């Protein structure tokens, strides 16, 4: 996968230490205190399978910890949601999100959906304790207990069914994410209007027959046209018409809205002739082949670049 020379902004280092040999450390400033956790939260580097009980059920996820993780330094966190029939390990291998997390010193959590095939019930509200939105909320709380997490740089990303869940999380907003990345699964409902503005980057192939770009009834329910849904998100974010930008080539159409409420922005990458898959990545479900590996778009790299530009509160 091609790599863009981009970086997730690193956590500010804390001066601390001794002013001279044997001298006491100087008091930390409020910003220095915020960049550290009060107690060390060590974690094993690499991938580990973990479980959490939520809604009366045991749920599993893979936690990927970068080599540069420090137990007292607040570290960015990314949650990644697979598509229908997918699983955490396939997602890690096909998107190389773990490799990018290592490069940019971020923690990556990849949970497993429910049932066979594994799936996310993204339409069930958080008021239902067994909903996946409620599960994500509990998972984030647990991760913040187990790891030294930077709450201002906590992000959600997903593919297909997981993409719809990602956007449902933006609608619910009870779990605070700084930005959202969604691939091949549009979602917006009238109840989303009560949510705060959300920075969103979205990818979709124009020749997708599983979740058609122009909208259709799919295996996860009716999904409207991509352009309609993303225009609703731009309106939701109160994006000014003067901030609309369009760039088109024979391979990619890029639409973006900038200068939106609270520093948010909305980006769409429509891959001309692209099929259902992760642009620039491998197969997203076990036993499948990939027709997106040679895509002109590298979704993983662009997502990390987008996340870097959007800490909580806008920038």
């Amino acid at each position: 996968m091609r790599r863009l020379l981009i970086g997730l902004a690193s956590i500010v280092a804390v001066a601390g230490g001794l002013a001279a040999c044997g001298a006491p450390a100087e008091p930390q400033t409020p910003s220095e205190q915020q960049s550290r956790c009060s107690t060390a939260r060590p974690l094993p580097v690499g991938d580990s399978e973990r479980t959490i009980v939520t809604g009366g059920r045991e749920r599993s996820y893979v936690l990927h910890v970068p080599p540069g993780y420090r137990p007292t330094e607040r570290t960015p966190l990314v949650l990644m949601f697979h598509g229908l029939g997918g699983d955490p390990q396939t997602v890690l291998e096909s998107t190389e999100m773990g490799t990018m997390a290592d490069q940019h010193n971020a923690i990556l959590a990849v949970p497993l959906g429910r049932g066979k095939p594994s799936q996310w019930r993204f339409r069930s509200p958080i008021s239902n304790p067994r909903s996946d939105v409620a599960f994500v909320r509990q998972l984030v709380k647990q991760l913040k207990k187990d790891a030294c997490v930077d709450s201002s740089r906590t992000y959600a990303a997903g593919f297909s069914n997981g993409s719809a869940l990602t956007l449902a999380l933006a609608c619910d907003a009870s779990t605070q994410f700084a930005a959202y990345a969604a691939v091949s699964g549009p979602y917006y409902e009238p109840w989303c209007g009560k949510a705060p503005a959300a920075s969103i980057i979205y990818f979709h192939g124009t020749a997708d027959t599983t979740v058609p770009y122009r909208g259709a009834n799919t295996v996860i329910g009716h999904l409207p046209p991509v352009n309609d849904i993303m225009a609703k998100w731009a309106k939701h974010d109160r994006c000014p018409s003067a901030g609309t930008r369009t760039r088109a080539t024979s391979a990619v159409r890029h639409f973006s809205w900038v200068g939106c409420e609270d520093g948010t922005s909305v980006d769409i990458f429509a891959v001309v002739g692209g099929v259902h898959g992760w642009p620039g990545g491998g197969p997203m479900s076990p036993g499948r082949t990939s027709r997106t590996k040679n895509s002109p778009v590298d979704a993983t790299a662009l997502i990390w670049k987008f996340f870097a530009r959007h800490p909580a509160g806008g920038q």
Side-chain angles (χ1 to χ4, degrees):
M1 181 181 291
R2 299 185 311 278
R3 293 290 175 217
L4 300 184
L5 297 178
I6 56 177
L8 190 66
S10 59
I11 307 302
V12 177
V14 179
L18 301 179
C21 183
E26 295 182 5
Q28 292 181 325
T29 65
S31 62
E32 289 173 332
Q33 292 172 351
Q34 291 173 2
S35 69
R36 285 185 174 271
C37 289
S38 58
T39 58
R41 299 170 192 177
L43 290 170
V45 171
D47 296 347
S48 61
E49 295 187 8
R50 297 186 166 221
T51 59
I52 179 176
V53 176
T54 175
R57 299 180 180 183
E58 184 177 78
R59 304 290 298 270
S60 65
Y61 63 100
V62 170
L63 185 67
H64 180 88
V65 179
Y69 174 74
R70 298 293 179 265
T72 59
E73 294 180 5
R74 296 201 179 275
T75 306
L77 169 66
V78 177
L79 269 68
M80 176 75 192
F81 305 103
H82 62 73
L84 182 68
D87 65 80
Q89 197 58 47
T90 301
V91 165
L92 286 169
E93 293 172 358
S94 297
T95 65
E96 297 187 23
M97 288 288 280
T99 300
M100 293 295 275
D102 288 348
Q103 291 180 11
H104 305 299
N105 196 36
I107 299 166
L108 181 64
V110 192
L112 177 66
R114 290 180 289 171
K116 294 183 179 181
S118 54
Q119 62 182 290
W120 306 106
R121 294 172 176 83
F122 58 93
R123 289 188 171 89
S124 183
I126 197 168
S127 56
N128 176 358
R130 292 192 174 185
S131 73
D132 284 317
V133 175
F135 160 60
V136 172
R137 184 177 185 180
Q138 289 302 118
L139 177 58
V140 171
K141 285 184 178 180
Q142 186 62 51
L143 290 169
K144 289 182 177 180
K145 291 180 180 178
D146 295 341
C148 188
V149 171
D150 184 348
S151 295
S152 71
R153 291 187 180 275
T154 298
Y155 305 94
F159 169 71
S160 192
N161 183 204
S163 169
L165 174 62
T166 298
L167 296 177
L169 290 169
C171 289
D172 176 75
S174 61
T175 303
Q176 294 184 349
F177 293 98
Y180 304 82
V183 180
S184 302
Y187 181 78
Y188 188 92
E189 295 291 341
W191 67 274
C192 301
K194 297 179 180 180
S199 289
I200 297 169
I201 184 170
Y202 185 82
F203 303 82
H204 208 116
T206 61
D208 189 335
T209 57
T210 303
V211 180
Y213 193 91
R214 295 180 179 274
N217 292 321
T218 74
V219 291
I220 59 173
H222 180 74
L223 296 177
V226 170
N227 288 348
D228 292 353
I229 291 297
M230 299 315 295
K232 288 181 178 179
W233 275 112
K235 182 178 179 181
H236 172 90
D237 287 359
R238 301 177 189 269
C239 299
S241 57
T244 304
R245 301 173 183 172
T246 302
R247 298 177 183 175
T249 69
S250 60
V252 182
R253 299 168 188 162
H254 178 207
F255 310 94
S256 66
W257 290 267
V258 296
C260 309
E261 189 174 62
D262 296 332
T264 58
S265 65
V266 177
D267 274 42
I268 308 173
F269 287 87
V271 183
V272 179
V275 297
H276 193 69
W278 187 272
M284 294 299 283
S285 296
R288 299 291 181 88
T289 57
S290 172
R291 296 171 57 194
T292 55
K293 189 69 175 180
N294 297 320
S295 171
V297 173
D298 185 340
T300 298
L302 289 169
I303 286 169
W304 284 88
K305 181 179 180 180
F306 188 82
F307 284 170
R309 297 203 314 265
H310 293 89
Q315 190 175 60

